[in-house]
Amino acid sequence: MTARTTPTERQKRLGYELRRMRTSAGMSAEFAASLLAVDRGAISAMESGTRAISTERLRTLAANCQVDDERYIAGLTDMALPAGPRWWDRYRGQVPQGFMDIAELESRSIRMRVAYPLHMPGLLQTSDHALAVFRMVIPALPEHEVALRLALRIERQKVLDGENAPAFVAVVHEAALRMRFGSADVLRAQLNHLIQRSQQDNVTLLVLPFEAGGFPGAGQTVLYAEGPTAQLDTVQIDNSHGPDFLHAETQLAKYRGHFELMERLALPPGPSREFIRAIASEL
């Protein structure tokens, strides 16, 4: 089987889970190789995400590691299936890989919880607001790259629409609501768009006002993406160098705690919409 030179974050995550399953069972890589009828190097490649594993071999490994959580195994099996054409593949080689990893993570999520202390949620941005954000990148992006990133962001937003759209809970700080990218008209339209989007059945928007005080992770933009089982949840953090993806049990527990506290501190949905309307009326 041909090795992958640049595995996606989803492929790397599957490899991580394979290794965790094997090592938790106290199974050596050599034994796993004999069990799956491959060489030792193939096990390393599977666990790094640079080589695929068949669903049959995956289930054989799970059975011999005494893993009987069917939801977890089914989630891994889904990750191991060959990926068909995906809409974000059109952008491959034209935008950073991390952007496509985020799109794939969003598309596979059962529920998303996001925290935005200084920016509008990407999935809830208007085109004009997103365009203003991309034009402030340093060093400045060529216009054709700005256009590509804008098109990708707008297409990502479709994940919130449709019959099987995931639940989406956004905690947005007052600072983000007042931060101006573009003109006052752009910000006003963006705030009104937030209000409109927040009335969708699957979208919950919670405002964290200044008066709520400090909170953990105040400087981080975070996505907590829930998978088919809690073991397959993923945390994605925005950084200037690109997205970071976290999935260790301690990290997942930490960010679940962050979100629980932020959601308690934030205004409920109705008052949050009124709060946004009040800010928009000041512009």
Side-chain angles (χ1 to χ4, degrees):
M1 188 171 291
T2 304
R4 306 170 177 133
T5 54
T6 54
T8 67
E9 190 61 33
R10 183 174 172 82
Q11 290 163 346
K12 288 188 283 187
R13 176 60 184 281
L14 174 58
Y16 172 89
E17 294 298 327
L18 294 175
R19 186 177 190 281
R20 179 164 69 169
M21 185 162 52
R22 177 180 63 77
T23 57
S24 295
M27 181 185 294
S28 69
E30 289 74 16
F31 185 83
S34 65
L35 181 69
L36 302 184
V38 297
D39 59 43
R40 170 67 176 77
I43 297 298
S44 295
M46 289 174 185
E47 293 180 352
S48 67
T50 58
R51 174 171 170 161
I53 182 173
S54 69
T55 56
E56 294 80 5
R57 281 179 168 150
L58 192 155
R59 287 188 172 276
T60 296
L61 182 65
N64 282 271
C65 289
Q66 307 301 311
V67 175
D68 57 5
D69 184 338
E70 186 51 41
R71 288 181 64 201
Y72 175 64
I73 296 170
L76 295 181
T77 300
D78 183 62
M79 294 168 77
L81 291 171
R86 301 160 301 183
W87 66 260
W88 54 86
D89 288 330
R90 298 197 304 274
Y91 297 87
R92 196 168 302 282
Q94 302 182 80
V95 299
Q97 175 63 41
F99 289 4
M100 289 180 289
D101 287 331
I102 293 172
E104 184 166 29
L105 179 62
E106 291 168 342
S107 74
R108 301 283 188 169
S109 298
I110 305 301
R111 182 172 79 133
M112 289 183 272
R113 299 161 85 179
V114 298
Y116 280 79
L118 294 174
H119 291 278
M120 300 292 181
L123 294 183
L124 302 180
Q125 289 181 9
T126 64
S127 295
D128 287 341
H129 181 92
L131 186 60
V133 171
F134 288 136
R135 283 183 171 158
M136 293 190 74
V137 171
I138 297 176
L141 296 169
E143 277 302 302
H144 75 276
E145 288 193 32
V146 170
L148 280 168
R149 295 188 184 201
L150 178 61
L152 176 62
R153 175 155 298 181
I154 298 306
E155 198 154 8
R156 277 175 48 206
Q157 295 176 355
K158 296 176 183 178
V159 74
L160 296 182
D161 301 317
E163 211 171 293
N164 299 312
F168 184 77
V169 181
V171 179
V172 183
H173 197 273
E174 181 179 349
L177 299 174
R178 296 185 180 277
M179 186 78 68
R180 189 174 296 184
F181 289 92
S183 67
D185 287 342
V186 169
L187 179 55
R188 186 183 302 108
Q190 173 62 67
L191 294 174
N192 289 330
H193 182 69
L194 287 181
I195 293 170
Q196 181 181 3
R197 273 294 213 174
S198 73
Q199 296 178 73
Q200 288 183 214
D201 291 340
N202 62 313
V203 176
T204 301
L205 181 61
L206 308 174
V207 171
L208 193 55
F210 284 127
E211 66 179 27
F215 57 95
Q220 294 180 319
T221 295
V222 182
L223 160 63
Y224 189 104
E226 296 182 11
T229 179
Q231 290 169 276
L232 296 177
D233 291 353
T234 301
V235 169
Q236 181 263 313
I237 300 175
D238 281 351
N239 287 292
S240 58
H241 60 265
D244 287 332
F245 297 87
L246 311 174
H247 39 68
E249 291 180 11
T250 53
Q251 294 167 328
L252 295 176
K254 170 185 174 179
Y255 284 99
R256 280 196 298 268
H258 280 200
F259 275 100
E260 287 164 8
L261 177 57
M262 285 187 288
E263 289 170 12
R264 286 200 303 271
L265 292 173
L267 300 173
S272 289
R273 280 192 286 271
E274 292 306 313
F275 195 95
I276 296 171
R277 285 193 183 97
I279 295 176
S281 69
E282 297 171 9
L283 297 171

